[in-house]
Amino acid sequence: MGDITIADVERAVRAAAGTVLSNQQYFSDLDGVAGDGDFGASLAAGFRVVDKDFDTLDKSSIGAFLLKISMIITRNVGGCSGPIWGTGFMRAAMLSKEKTSISLAELEQMLTAAVDGIQQRGGAQLGDKTLLDALIPVRDTVKAHAEGGADGATALKACAEAAEEAIERTKHLEAKRGRQSFTGERSIGSLDPGIVAIATILGDICTEFGVSRASKAA
Amino acid sequence: MGDITIADVERAVRAAAGTVLSNQQYFSDLDGVAGDGDFGASLAAGFRVVDKDFDTLDKSSIGAFLLKISMIITRNVGGCSGPIWGTGFMRAAMLSKEKTSISLAELEQMLTAAVDGIQQRGGAQLGDKTLLDALIPVRDTVKAHAEGGADGATALKACAEAAEEAIERTKHLEAKRGRQSFTGERSIGSLDPGIVAIATILGDICTEFGVSRASKAA
Amino acid sequence: MKKFVNDPDNFVAEMLEGVYLANQDKLKLVPEFNLIHRADRPANDKVSIIQGSGSGHEPAHIMAVGPGMLDAAAPGAVFAAPPVDYCYECIKAMRSDKGVLVLINNYQGDRMNWDMAVEMAEAEGIKVKAFIIDDDVAVQDSTHTVGRRGVAGNFFVIKACGAAAERGASIEELLALCEKVNGQVRTMGVALTSCTPPVKGTPIFEIGEDEMEVGVGIHGEPGRRRDKIKPADAIVDEMFDAVAHDLPFKTGDRVALMINGLGGTPVSELYVLYRRAAERCKEAGLTIARNYVGEYCTSLEMAGASLTLLRLDKELEELLAAPAEIPIRVF
Amino acid sequence: MKKFVNDPDNFVAEMLEGVYLANQDKLKLVPEFNLIHRADRPANDKVSIIQGSGSGHEPAHIMAVGPGMLDAAAPGAVFAAPPVDYCYECIKAMRSDKGVLVLINNYQGDRMNWDMAVEMAEAEGIKVKAFIIDDDVAVQDSTHTVGRRGVAGNFFVIKACGAAAERGASIEELLALCEKVNGQVRTMGVALTSCTPPVKGTPIFEIGEDEMEVGVGIHGEPGRRRDKIKPADAIVDEMFDAVAHDLPFKTGDRVALMINGLGGTPVSELYVLYRRAAERCKEAGLTIARNYVGEYCTSLEMAGASLTLLRLDKELEELLAAPAEIPIRVF
Ligand SMILES: Nc1ncnc2c1ncn2[C@@H]1O[C@H](COP(=O)(O)OP(=O)(O)O)[C@@H](O)[C@H]1O
Ligand SMILES: Nc1ncnc2c1ncn2[C@@H]1O[C@H](COP(=O)(O)OP(=O)(O)O)[C@@H](O)[C@H]1O
Ligand SMILES: [Mg+2]
Ligand SMILES: [Mg+2]
Ligand SMILES: [Mg+2]
Ligand SMILES: [Mg+2]
């Protein structure tokens, strides 16, 4: 059965933490091009705690676990990333209370809730050159695979590719949110660090689960 | 006869002004090594006025002329150079009141008065790595040539060489006066800008009077 | 990195400790939340005024905490808005019957974190209101973007509200005052060099030896354009025109003129800029009722300056002149 | 050159004009002699206190002119002592029946120019006395040299004398006060970068990206040694030890502690330094009765800082706390 277990979620989150910590400088440098160069450090401030406290985190359910992640990020991450990522994990947690495994269809609902929450929080739309330009296609990919009854590995691979594509697709766009938006047209041609982060994380999760695909962005 | 006329003094001073103005950057750079890098600019602030007002300066006598130069320098040159050079010209002027020409012997007395005045003003001794280490040998050279009855050109050439030699001779010394003295041992090995200035000026005066000798320092 | 720093991750914490140690009689420090507040506040008969943005803009805002100015500040990491918890704890610590006024510079990160914190505080029945400052004319407003940035002009909002609050103004009166000041203050900045956040360890942007960034943001965000460095007067002229034409300021206006250093520019140069700015005010028929030359809102060690004009009326002139006491002293 | 400057030759003149334009109600400017003086001074019932050294150390000394501080300042070009005429005209302009006190930082150029000016003034029957300040412990004293340099410690001589003069102290009493302050104040500085005088247009010395100059002079003169940049605390420790052991300061002493920025270092870093300096004072049993963190005596845009300790007694503590008003304001 293609269900995702709490163990899978834990591995995925831990892999994400690894991605953020090992790419801190790279993410900050990307943010320095059109933003203020703190993205990597901000995000790392949160995931460093996730990594450190990982073993002691409440893992009674997927929802309980993701709620903890959300709180750690909200508490430790400043800038735009704290509210954005904290809200995303929070909303996903709300839909997975008590659950110890979820289907692709349920994952799709969690991602939709996260996307909605992030949009309410920051008011960004698809095409504003924010991590939503990676997250929304990823959500759509999960939806398609859920309907097609695909297994988790296939879906994960497709998600990583969808996020990866978002990097180049949005490169020519003008940032409309966050600090990069202040650079207006000058943000055109630069990679959005949030999108790169999502793609890099998904690439590393693929590696973690032995899904044949190495992230290009890392 | 080996007498030096007021016309000679005027030409020499004007040549000196030219030297200072064309070497401003070079002199400041030398001062930057162990000092504070303002020597060229400070001196130029005075000689620029000398050069500008030259035609209107009182030339009724050598003393009157040198007094004016002294006043212009005192008025416009800050740092150590104002008092040092101003005092030097002032003292030389005192001994050439009413005179429209001077002998080498009289020049020697004027230089001695200048050296004494500078020593009273700044308390430097021979070997303290200041322009006195050039000025005193120059004075001695004039004395020797005056006693030997040499002509002006020969004396001038010898003076330029004496000043030139002072540059290398004092290079290994430790500065004891002015800002360079604060660098203590670290001033060892650096050229003293004041000494280089005296040598460069005398070299250019040689050129001005067609005395076969090009300044090495310029 | 040409900085006095120990472990870069401790830079902000150690700076805050330094500010506290230098002002133990007047300030309190809560390290867990980067919170610096007046030792004698909150008080229920005065609205508490707080601000928290990224660090690296000192003296803004932790060194602006004191009688007649802010009651508290809770900065985030260098150039990063404070996490929600810092904001929330700051509001809670300054809780007052008359309310808590949060002054926010218009950056998405600051807004989102403070929004969440304000929601949490309100949920607990704390009376709290937020005001967004956006005085930077460099980046043009647009419905798509978050709008203008808040920069050095925030000083005037803080000073006016700080003075009014000491006199017992209500939170509604203070919000009206914020509207008034923010509506009449305009700023534009120019950077000659980049700056290096301690943790990042490298300059935030590259800039040539002969280049300047016109309209730079206080986090090193690019501005209107990159250009060759021009004479000081020409730079002032561009900043002055951008600022004066934006409101616009008109003949007869009484104004406050601020030449703000961005951190690495010595005060001697700021007065060279002031000289020209004062000339331009005179030509434009603006009377400089009060001037400010120094560092009010910086970008670490960035060499550069911003020019701010605030249109005054009797009330504002009087509030700006009111006494205040902050950690930054000149003697 | 990363500077706001028009014609470099006019840099000082334009800065002075800026200071004047920003303080027309309080100051007068005599451009021919770079002279800035209190509009309401001289007065025959108060000793006039003046200082003039090279420019480039702002706020020292032109921005220290005002009630409770200096009556006038006559700076020279950047880093060059003022010409005799500037000094002489400054003394003459501040002539007072109670006398004129000239505060001179111990540099040969400053001394020679002021000496000549004092002679000229005395010849005209003006009552004038000079005092030489030499608080820098970086360069060791020696009979051969001119002795120690005068650096940030001059602030305390100015402040103490300025306060005492306002209360009618005689010039003899002020000279005794100078002796006392100068005898108990010690300073040491460290530079992380060089600086560029506008006219010179190039850095005054070369220094590697990872190097610092320990014991640097405020004109970029080399100090004790060139070293690799160390953590902030280690740098403070070296400055503190050099300063504290020199007097020496002893357990039980009440002191004023100053962390002075050299121009290009942001105040955030100065507080990181202050934090450690305060720790060291505590360990050494010194009570910090008053602290100063900011820019008091700079070297253009040099990144760096100096640490100054002044031993206090009741009289000094009281004089330092006395009111003053200078062009530099924080609100
Ligand atoms: N309103 C928003 N909605 C969604 N994502 C956003 C928004 N604003 C910024 N982001 C994402 O956050 C990233 C920047 O994060 P960070 O550097 O922490 O923010 P800041 O701009 O406060 O420095 C951007 O690359 C973008 O992908
Ligand atoms: N006491 C002194 N007597 C004679 N010459 C001196 C004395 N002090 C300095 N000088 C000369 O002046 C030069 C430095 O001049 P300048 O740079 O104008 O002085 P400052 O040290 O004030 O910057 C030195 O190279 C030295 O030759
Ligand atoms: Mg950022
Ligand atoms: Mg010099
Ligand atoms: Mg940020
Ligand atoms: Mg000098």
Side-chain angles (χ1 to χ4, degrees):
Chain A
M1 51 112 236
D3 266 11
I4 301 161
T5 68
I6 183 161
D8 297 332
V9 175
E10 289 172 32
R11 277 176 71 190
V13 169
R14 183 139 222 177
T19 307
V20 171
L21 296 180
S22 53
N23 289 283
Q24 172 171 347
Q25 187 68 48
Y26 170 59
F27 289 169
S28 281
D29 291 346
L30 284 178
D31 191 34
V33 176
D36 61 356
D38 63 355
F39 178 64
S42 291
L43 217 51
F47 281 99
R48 191 173 298 114
V49 179
V50 168
D51 194 64
K52 189 164 75 25
D53 301 352
F54 199 84
D55 300 338
T56 64
L57 295 178
D58 177 350
K59 309 201 182 66
S60 58
S61 76
I62 293 175
F65 175 65
L66 294 180
L67 189 63
K68 273 265 161 290
I69 302 299
S70 161
M71 286 165 63
I72 290 175
I73 287 172
T74 307
R75 170 153 293 150
N76 298 284
V77 181
C80 282
S81 296
I84 296 298
W85 293 62
T87 301
F89 278 101
M90 166 83 65
R91 294 305 181 89
M94 291 305 145
L95 294 191
S96 50
K97 293 209 189 90
E98 274 94 54
K99 299 211 173 97
T100 53
S101 85
I102 50 172
S103 66
L104 277 182
E106 290 172 312
L107 176 60
E108 186 263 325
Q109 288 155 18
M110 287 164 67
L111 286 170
T112 298
V115 167
D116 294 347
I118 291 171
Q119 288 192 311
Q120 285 156 21
R121 176 60 58 202
Q125 304 303 323
L126 190 65
D128 281 358
K129 199 171 185 175
T130 72
L131 49 74
L132 285 172
D133 291 348
L135 216 51
I136 291 171
V138 164
R139 187 269 319 272
D140 297 343
T141 306
V142 173
K143 190 167 196 292
H145 284 69
E147 287 157 357
D151 68 2
T154 319
L156 175 57
K157 183 170 185 297
C159 289
E161 276 154 7
E164 188 69 36
E165 281 156 25
I167 297 176
E168 284 306 314
R169 189 176 62 249
T170 56
K171 188 173 177 183
H172 71 285
L173 296 180
E174 179 176 333
K176 302 284 189 198
R177 294 284 156 183
R179 293 210 201 288
Q180 4 286 116
S181 68
F182 290 117
T183 71
E185 297 177 347
R186 292 174 54 166
S187 61
I188 293 172
S190 68
L191 305 184
D192 179 73
I195 295 170
V196 173
I198 299 289
T200 312
I201 287 169
L202 283 168
D204 290 353
I205 292 177
C206 286
T207 317
E208 169 67 23
F209 287 90
V211 173
S212 67
R213 185 188 165 303
S215 161
K216 288 197 232 88
Chain B
M1 51 114 236
D3 267 10
I4 301 160
T5 69
I6 183 162
D8 298 331
V9 175
E10 290 173 31
R11 278 176 71 189
V13 169
R14 183 138 222 179
T19 307
V20 171
L21 296 181
S22 53
N23 290 282
Q24 172 171 347
Q25 187 68 50
Y26 170 60
F27 289 169
S28 282
D29 291 346
L30 283 178
D31 190 34
V33 176
D36 61 357
D38 64 354
F39 178 63
S42 291
L43 216 52
F47 281 99
R48 191 173 298 114
V49 179
V50 169
D51 194 63
K52 190 165 71 30
D53 300 353
F54 199 85
D55 300 339
T56 64
L57 296 177
D58 178 349
K59 307 201 183 68
S60 59
S61 77
I62 293 175
F65 175 66
L66 293 181
L67 190 62
K68 274 266 163 287
I69 302 299
S70 160
M71 285 166 63
I72 292 175
I73 288 173
T74 307
R75 172 152 296 155
N76 298 285
V77 180
C80 282
S81 296
I84 296 296
W85 293 62
T87 300
F89 277 101
M90 166 83 66
R91 294 304 182 89
M94 290 305 147
L95 294 190
S96 51
K97 294 208 189 90
E98 273 94 56
K99 298 205 174 105
T100 53
S101 85
I102 50 173
S103 67
L104 278 182
E106 290 171 312
L107 176 60
E108 186 263 319
Q109 289 155 19
M110 288 163 65
L111 286 169
T112 298
V115 167
D116 295 348
I118 291 171
Q119 289 193 309
Q120 285 157 23
R121 176 62 56 203
Q125 303 303 323
L126 189 66
D128 282 357
K129 198 169 185 175
T130 72
L131 50 75
L132 286 171
D133 291 347
L135 216 50
I136 291 171
V138 163
R139 188 269 317 273
D140 297 343
T141 306
V142 173
K143 191 168 197 289
H145 284 69
E147 286 158 357
D151 68 2
T154 319
L156 175 58
K157 183 169 186 297
C159 289
E161 277 153 6
E164 188 70 36
E165 281 156 25
I167 298 175
E168 284 307 314
R169 189 177 61 250
T170 57
K171 188 173 178 185
H172 70 285
L173 295 180
E174 179 176 333
K176 304 282 189 197
R177 294 284 155 185
R179 292 211 202 287
Q180 3 291 114
S181 67
F182 291 117
T183 71
E185 297 177 347
R186 291 174 55 166
S187 62
I188 294 173
S190 69
L191 305 184
D192 179 73
I195 295 171
V196 172
I198 299 289
T200 312
I201 287 170
L202 283 167
D204 290 354
I205 293 177
C206 286
T207 317
E208 168 69 23
F209 286 91
V211 173
S212 66
R213 186 189 163 301
S215 162
K216 287 194 233 93
Chain C
M1 189 163 48
K2 294 291 192 177
K3 286 184 182 301
F4 293 112
V5 54
N6 295 303
D7 175 347
D9 287 321
N10 300 339
F11 181 74
V12 172
E14 291 180 346
M15 166 186 70
L16 292 172
E17 196 183 336
V19 172
Y20 167 67
L21 289 173
N23 300 276
Q24 296 176 60
D25 48 336
K26 308 187 193 70
L27 302 177
K28 289 231 172 311
L29 168 68
V30 185
E32 309 88 286
F33 305 111
N34 284 5
L35 173 59
I36 289 261
H37 69 85
R38 283 177 64 179
D40 58 349
R41 290 293 176 272
N44 281 325
D45 59 354
K46 175 184 172 303
V47 173
S48 295
I49 304 175
I50 65 178
Q51 174 141 23
S53 59
S55 290
H57 307 303
E58 294 69 26
H61 302 287
I62 50 170
M63 298 164 199
V65 174
M69 296 280 278
L70 293 174
D71 294 286
V78 170
F79 291 172
V84 175
D85 276 32
Y86 292 19
C87 305
Y88 169 68
E89 295 294 338
C90 184
I91 295 170
K92 242 174 58 183
M94 290 297 105
R95 176 180 200 145
S96 156
D97 290 352
K98 289 197 84 171
V100 179
L101 174 62
V102 184
L103 300 179
I104 305 170
N105 285 342
N106 191 32
Y107 298 98
Q108 184 122 36
D110 298 79
R111 289 181 64 157
M112 290 192 290
N113 285 282
W114 281 105
D115 285 354
M116 289 172 80
V118 166
E119 283 171 28
M120 288 159 66
E122 278 172 334
E124 289 191 21
I126 297 178
K127 183 173 178 185
V128 52
K129 294 252 168 289
F131 183 82
I132 312 289
I133 300 160
D134 58 351
D135 58 309
D136 189 346
V137 304
V139 287
Q140 292 315 311
D141 208 343
S142 127
T143 49
H144 295 88
T145 70
V146 202
R148 293 175 162 188
R149 303 175 292 212
V151 289
N154 70 57
F155 168 88
F156 293 105
V157 179
I158 295 171
K159 181 64 178 71
C161 289
E166 296 290 346
R167 302 169 182 187
S170 70
I171 198 159
E172 292 72 21
E173 291 168 326
L174 291 180
L175 281 169
L177 186 56
C178 288
E179 286 290 357
K180 183 172 164 182
V181 176
N182 189 58
Q184 309 199 132
V185 67
R186 298 291 187 273
T187 301
M188 167 121 145
V190 168
L192 303 182
T193 70
S194 184
C195 62
T196 299
V199 172
K200 186 164 186 288
T202 55
I204 216 152
F205 59 85
E206 294 304 320
I207 183 164
E209 192 35 55
D210 61 345
E211 291 182 322
M212 63 177 177
E213 181 69 32
V214 180
V216 71
I218 56 173
H219 310 89
E221 307 96 329
R224 290 183 170 187
R225 68 172 197 287
R226 187 63 61 91
D227 201 347
K228 296 283 174 221
I229 293 178
K230 299 205 159 45
D233 289 356
I235 294 172
V236 170
D237 287 344
E238 175 157 9
M239 292 193 289
F240 183 88
D241 290 335
V243 164
H245 295 159
D246 189 89
L247 187 53
F249 288 84
K250 294 188 287 342
T251 310
D253 285 346
R254 286 177 69 80
V255 300
L257 169 62
M258 173 185 280
I259 300 295
N260 169 62
L262 294 185
T265 290
V267 67
S268 48
E269 292 176 41
L270 298 182
Y271 274 102
V272 169
L273 298 177
Y274 182 84
R275 175 188 156 279
R276 178 59 177 173
E279 270 178 8
R280 291 301 312 275
C281 285
K282 192 154 190 221
E283 289 165 21
L286 309 182
T287 303
I288 303 169
R290 194 171 173 89
N291 64 72
Y292 302 79
V293 183
E295 293 179 348
Y296 295 86
C297 187
T298 63
S299 299
L300 295 169
E301 79 285 9
M302 179 182 287
S306 64
L307 183 154
T308 301
L309 275 179
L310 165 66
R311 180 189 288 147
L312 299 170
D313 59 16
K314 281 191 89 315
E315 179 193 24
L316 291 184
E317 230 170 296
E318 208 251 316
L319 291 170
L320 292 184
E325 192 188 353
I326 53 178
I328 299 294
R329 284 187 290 107
V330 293
F331 66 82
Chain D
M1 188 162 52
K2 294 292 193 176
K3 286 184 183 300
F4 293 112
V5 54
N6 294 304
D7 175 348
D9 287 321
N10 299 339
F11 181 73
V12 172
E14 292 180 345
M15 165 184 71
L16 292 173
E17 196 182 336
V19 172
Y20 167 67
L21 289 173
N23 300 275
Q24 294 176 60
D25 48 336
K26 306 187 194 71
L27 302 177
K28 288 229 172 313
L29 168 67
V30 185
E32 309 89 285
F33 305 111
N34 284 5
L35 174 60
I36 289 261
H37 69 84
R38 283 177 63 180
D40 58 349
R41 290 292 175 272
N44 281 323
D45 59 355
K46 174 184 174 303
V47 174
S48 295
I49 305 175
I50 65 177
Q51 174 142 22
S53 58
S55 289
H57 307 304
E58 294 68 29
H61 301 286
I62 49 169
M63 298 164 200
V65 174
M69 295 280 276
L70 293 174
D71 294 286
V78 170
F79 291 171
V84 175
D85 275 32
Y86 292 19
C87 305
Y88 169 69
E89 294 294 338
C90 184
I91 295 171
K92 242 174 56 184
M94 290 298 104
R95 177 181 198 143
S96 156
D97 291 352
K98 289 198 84 171
V100 178
L101 173 62
V102 185
L103 300 179
I104 305 170
N105 285 342
N106 191 32
Y107 297 98
Q108 183 120 37
D110 298 79
R111 290 182 64 157
M112 289 192 291
N113 284 283
W114 281 105
D115 285 355
M116 289 173 79
V118 167
E119 283 171 28
M120 289 159 67
E122 278 172 334
E124 289 190 21
I126 298 178
K127 183 174 179 184
V128 51
K129 296 252 169 286
F131 183 82
I132 311 290
I133 300 160
D134 58 351
D135 57 310
D136 188 348
V137 304
V139 288
Q140 292 316 312
D141 207 342
S142 127
T143 50
H144 294 89
T145 70
V146 203
R148 293 175 162 188
R149 304 176 292 214
V151 288
N154 70 56
F155 168 87
F156 293 104
V157 180
I158 294 172
K159 181 63 177 72
C161 288
E166 296 290 346
R167 301 168 183 190
S170 70
I171 197 158
E172 293 71 22
E173 291 168 325
L174 291 180
L175 282 168
L177 185 57
C178 288
E179 286 290 356
K180 181 163 142 185
V181 175
N182 189 58
Q184 310 199 130
V185 68
R186 297 291 187 274
T187 300
M188 168 122 142
V190 167
L192 303 182
T193 70
S194 184
C195 62
T196 299
V199 173
K200 187 166 185 288
T202 55
I204 216 152
F205 59 84
E206 294 305 320
I207 183 163
E209 193 34 55
D210 61 344
E211 291 182 322
M212 63 178 177
E213 180 70 33
V214 180
V216 71
I218 55 173
H219 308 89
E221 307 97 328
R224 289 181 170 187
R225 68 171 198 286
R226 187 63 61 92
D227 200 346
K228 295 284 174 222
I229 294 178
K230 297 207 162 45
D233 289 356
I235 295 172
V236 170
D237 287 344
E238 174 156 12
M239 291 193 288
F240 184 89
D241 290 335
V243 164
H245 296 158
D246 189 88
L247 187 53
F249 289 82
K250 292 188 287 345
T251 310
D253 285 347
R254 286 177 67 81
V255 300
L257 168 62
M258 173 186 280
I259 300 295
N260 169 62
L262 295 184
T265 289
V267 67
S268 49
E269 293 177 41
L270 298 182
Y271 274 101
V272 169
L273 298 177
Y274 182 84
R275 175 188 156 281
R276 178 60 178 173
E279 269 178 10
R280 291 301 311 276
C281 284
K282 193 155 190 223
E283 288 165 23
L286 309 182
T287 304
I288 303 169
R290 194 170 173 89
N291 64 73
Y292 301 79
V293 184
E295 293 179 347
Y296 295 87
C297 188
T298 63
S299 298
L300 295 169
E301 80 284 8
M302 179 181 289
S306 64
L307 183 154
T308 300
L309 276 178
L310 165 66
R311 179 189 288 148
L312 300 170
D313 58 17
K314 280 190 87 317
E315 179 193 23
L316 292 184
E317 232 171 293
E318 207 253 317
L319 290 171
L320 292 185
E325 192 188 354
I326 54 179
I328 299 294
R329 284 185 291 104
V330 293
F331 63 81

